[in-house]
Structures are given as C-alpha cells and as structure tokens.
Amino acid sequence: MTQPSSDSITDLPISTTFDLPGFAIERTLGLSWGLIVRSVGTVKGISGGFRALRAGEVPQYTEVVNAARHTALERLVTHVRELGGNAVLGVRFDSSDVGGGLAEIIAYGTAVVVRPL
C-alpha cells in the first residue's frame, strides 16, 4: 500500500472496529489523536441561543460541531501519518466543555501499518 496524499482523509483506511477486512495488520504504532478547541462565535451563538429556546435541532450548533469533528478527524489522520501509519483503527470521538463557550473535540484511535491480503 502506498502512502496516501496528505490532503485527503478518504484514501487512508479508517475504521471504528479493530480489524480491517481485506487487510493484514503488520504493525501497531500506538495511540493517535486529533484535537480542536472550538468556539461557536458571537453571531452563531446569539442566533443559536434564540433557536435553543424552541424545541428541536439548532442548526447553527450542528454546523459548528460537524466542522470541528471533521477537523479533528483530519488532524487524527495527520498524526497517524506522522507516526508512519497507513490506517487507523478503533476510531472514536469525544467532546467536553472547557469553559468560556469553548468546546474540545477529539478524534482518537490506533495507528497501524496494514497491507492488502
């Protein structure tokens, strides 16, 4: 398997499971992660705050969280490549409030070297 380009996460196998059908795990490189701390921003915070008064989805917040998860995943893939991996297994997301309207989003998993069967 050749090293994928660094501008795309779609050419690196990513799995929430700990195996990858069609591939053999040659080496486990260890824990890898991608982290972002994000603010909703003033405009989205105000308009989202008004929306939150009603029941239902708050699209302003959904958009920010979705973008943050994508960024965290991109950073995870970058870290995997820095470790010499060509795949990441057991991927999970976690988030927490760090105060002051800031939220931490982390994507983490196990960096591995795989080869096609």
Side-chain angles (χ1 to χ4, degrees):
M1 180 174 233
T2 59
Q3 187 71 4
S5 64
S6 61
D7 62 347
S8 173
I9 60 172
T10 59
D11 55 1
L12 185 138
I14 300 171
S15 177
T16 58
T17 64
F18 293 98
D19 64 346
L20 201 56
F23 291 87
I25 299 169
E26 290 188 333
R27 198 170 60 220
T28 299
L29 302 171
L31 179 65
S32 54
W33 61 87
L35 174 71
I36 182 171
V37 175
R38 197 77 192 247
S39 169
V40 173
T42 304
V43 174
K44 286 189 179 185
I46 292 170
S47 61
F50 287 129
R51 283 248 179 160
L53 296 174
R54 297 182 294 160
E57 181 180 7
V58 182
Q60 293 85 346
Y61 293 144
T62 302
E63 180 184 320
V64 169
V65 171
N66 189 46
R69 285 187 179 199
H70 186 76
T71 300
L73 190 59
E74 287 174 336
R75 291 177 181 177
L76 167 63
V77 167
T78 297
H79 191 213
V80 168
R81 290 183 175 138
E82 288 170 354
L83 293 172
N86 63 359
V88 59
L89 303 178
V91 173
R92 302 288 186 267
F93 287 93
D94 200 358
S95 62
S96 63
D97 182 17
V98 294
L102 302 175
E104 169 196 54
I105 307 289
I106 186 168
Y108 60 96
T110 302
V112 295
V113 175
V114 297
R115 66 170 167 74
L117 291 175

